[in-house]
Amino acid sequence: MSGTSVEVVAAALRRRGCPICNVVRGMVFDELSRLQRQAVVDPATRADMVARGGFCAAHLRDLEHLASPLTMATLLAPLLERVAESAGAVAAEIAGGVDLLRRHPGEIADQLGAPRACPVCERVVVWEDAAVADLLAIASDPSGGVAYRGSDGLCLTHLTNAVRACGDPVLAQHLLEVAAEQTRRLASQLAALVRKRGERDRRPGAEDAAPRVAAQKLGGG
């Protein structure tokens, strides 16, 4: 796994979209690739995965796109067996007079084997913090600041994280002022796309990627 660094984040600034999202997405791909290979050959990794309840919904969908049907079958079969065993045990509790329906939904989900701690989500928190620190180093440097200003900037989630992490009111103000400028530029690209489509202008331009970038800026990912 390549990890994050100032150089990696700086390279991500040259691509469309939030640089932190783009860096972390690549790291998630690498981690899922590693986990799915290791879980197939290593019983201890599979056992840990079962104990955790598998992956969160988002990373399970990512894994489905990445892994082969054979790999998915190998990984998911023990998880389904655990759910079946848990469901039978909960049914037996109800038959024994336990008023399960009064319990908190989260407690019921735990009893049925819902994921407790997605192994990828745990790593994502660490990666995001490291990438934000790298981005702050870039934004506070004169030459790096120019590159950051010219990029699409951060999504709302990572902008919030960066402002909270910077520890410097002057840098926080700078990040927010640049974010306002980047967001207005993106909105202008959206308006240009609408105008071009109305004029049946199919020439390619920066505005073509604007809807995807805008969705990522608002929703992350």
Side-chain angles (χ1 to χ4, degrees), residues 13-190:
L13 289 174
R14 296 192 288 271
R15 305 198 303 270
R16 295 302 308 262
C18 171
I20 307 299
C21 288
N22 291 340
V23 167
V24 171
R25 188 185 305 113
M27 297 174 76
V28 166
F29 178 87
D30 290 346
E31 179 68 1
L32 284 172
S33 297
R34 183 190 69 81
L35 280 175
Q36 60 105 3
R37 289 194 301 269
Q38 189 169 333
V40 168
V41 300
D42 181 21
T45 300
R46 283 200 303 276
D48 178 67
M49 200 173 295
V50 172
R52 291 171 175 270
F55 299 90
C56 69
H59 290 133
L60 185 58
R61 287 193 296 271
D62 289 339
L63 182 64
E64 183 183 7
H65 292 304
L66 173 67
S68 69
L70 177 59
T71 296
M72 291 297 288
T74 302
L75 298 181
L76 299 186
L79 290 170
L80 292 177
E81 290 171 5
R82 180 184 181 217
V83 170
E85 181 179 341
S86 300
V90 172
E93 286 189 47
I94 295 175
V98 174
D99 189 359
L100 187 71
L101 301 183
R102 291 185 179 274
R103 294 184 181 178
H104 189 276
E107 184 180 353
I108 299 173
D110 285 342
Q111 286 188 273
L112 291 176
R116 291 191 177 92
C118 172
V120 180
C121 286
E122 290 180 346
R123 302 296 300 276
V124 164
V125 173
V126 176
W127 297 334
E128 286 182 326
D129 288 346
V132 165
D134 293 331
L135 187 282
L136 291 174
I138 293 170
S140 59
D141 176 79
S143 60
V146 172
Y148 176 63
R149 184 182 293 274
S151 74
D152 285 320
L154 302 174
C155 69
L156 292 181
T157 297
H158 292 135
L159 176 62
T160 301
N161 292 352
V163 169
R164 287 176 173 171
C166 72
D168 178 359
V170 174
L171 180 55
Q173 178 183 345
H174 173 67
L175 289 173
L176 292 167
E177 288 173 347
V178 172
E181 176 185 319
Q182 292 163 330
T183 303
R184 291 190 187 99
R185 184 169 65 231
L186 181 57
S188 295
Q189 292 177 359
L190 292 172

